[in-house]
Amino acid sequence: SELERQYYVMPICRYADVYLGMLMIFNAVSDRVHCELSWSPDTLAWYHVDPGTPLIDTSPQKGDYDWGCVYASVPVFMADEIRTYYGASDDVHYGWRQGYLALATLRPNGLAGLQPDRPNLPGLVMTQPIVCVGRQLFLSAEAQGGEVQVALLNAEGQILEQSNPIAGEVNQTEVTWVSGQDLSAYQQQAIQLRFQLNKAKLYAFDFYG
């Protein structure tokens, strides 16, 4: 309930073309605090990413250094990982507690991702019409034991290109196409991207070139 889960603190930062909010959730029943993720296109309208799912959770083991409360700073984006330093405490919000400085790390582009609801069945993700602004498409994904396949469609939903499968854990990996061509013919046109996720999680995509 809203009384149980209260929005408490939210440091924000600019990342790519949006703003990220490290949203601390105070649980008035357990008297503990954890961190979830939010984002905004303009700092006016904010969107909560998967409410109830912690980005940085408290420990389940009472007495641990971060069992009681987590207060996160904004992330530090490095080439090989995302780092978030956070203040942690070993007891509840209104209790006497010891404080600690802690570090949480994520893979590059790993703040949030999309994966199938049913692990044994493929999932499909379709973008709204977007402008193709580069000759090459790159993506970040986790597909150990699975794969990601991309289809490029026009704004009417007709398939223009099919990708070769992408497997393993990848970061900013170029998508190659069955046709052997790049996306030069579609630059500045409205297109859609359809991602088929087979035992995979999609984190990000971008155009270059």
Side-chain angles (χ1 to χ4, degrees):
S1 68
E2 291 184 4
L3 291 177
E4 180 180 346
R5 287 171 42 86
Q6 300 176 18
Y7 295 172
Y8 194 45
V9 183
M10 191 176 72
I12 68 172
C13 67
R14 180 79 170 170
Y15 178 64
D17 294 326
V18 300
Y19 295 87
L20 298 178
M22 306 296 280
L23 179 60
M24 262 48 74
I25 303 293
F26 171 58
N27 188 308
V29 174
S30 67
D31 197 22
R32 297 162 72 192
V33 180
H34 68 265
C35 177
E36 299 184 10
L37 183 65
S38 62
W39 73 278
S40 170
D42 54 13
T43 74
L44 299 176
W46 285 91
Y47 302 92
H48 198 162
V49 178
D50 199 7
T53 299
L55 180 65
I56 305 175
D57 202 358
T58 51
S59 170
Q61 182 63 47
K62 188 170 184 178
D64 282 355
Y65 69 92
D66 57 354
W67 176 81
C69 299
V70 164
Y71 295 99
S73 66
V74 295
V76 179
F77 296 95
M78 306 184 72
D80 58 346
E81 67 181 6
I82 300 170
R83 296 181 180 178
T84 300
Y85 294 90
Y86 65 96
S89 65
D90 58 5
D91 212 332
V92 294
H93 175 262
Y94 282 110
W96 291 99
R97 60 192 188 271
Q98 298 186 83
Y100 303 85
L101 178 63
L103 172 64
T105 61
L106 288 167
R107 56 153 289 152
N109 291 309
L111 284 167
L114 295 170
Q115 62 186 8
D117 289 335
R118 299 178 181 179
N120 295 324
L121 295 176
L124 288 177
V125 178
M126 175 83 83
T127 69
Q128 296 179 348
I130 56 177
V131 177
C132 179
V133 292
R135 294 182 296 105
Q136 299 161 299
L137 177 69
F138 290 77
L139 64 79
S140 298
E142 286 182 4
Q144 296 92 335
E147 63 182 27
V148 179
Q149 288 190 294
V150 189
L152 184 142
L153 302 85
N154 62 21
E156 290 72 41
Q158 298 170 315
I159 295 177
L160 304 174
E161 299 282 350
Q162 292 272 15
S163 80
N164 296 304
I166 296 171
E169 182 172 349
V170 297
N171 183 54
Q172 293 294 85
T173 291
E174 183 180 357
V175 176
T176 60
W177 306 96
V178 173
S179 67
Q181 303 298 312
D182 62 17
L183 303 181
S184 298
Y186 311 109
Q187 284 199 88
Q188 304 307 317
Q189 296 183 24
I191 56 130
Q192 293 177 282
L193 296 173
R194 187 183 70 196
F195 300 91
Q196 180 170 305
L197 309 176
N198 180 20
K199 298 180 181 178
K201 179 184 289 187
L202 174 67
Y203 288 108
F205 68 87
D206 204 353
F207 295 99
Y208 289 93

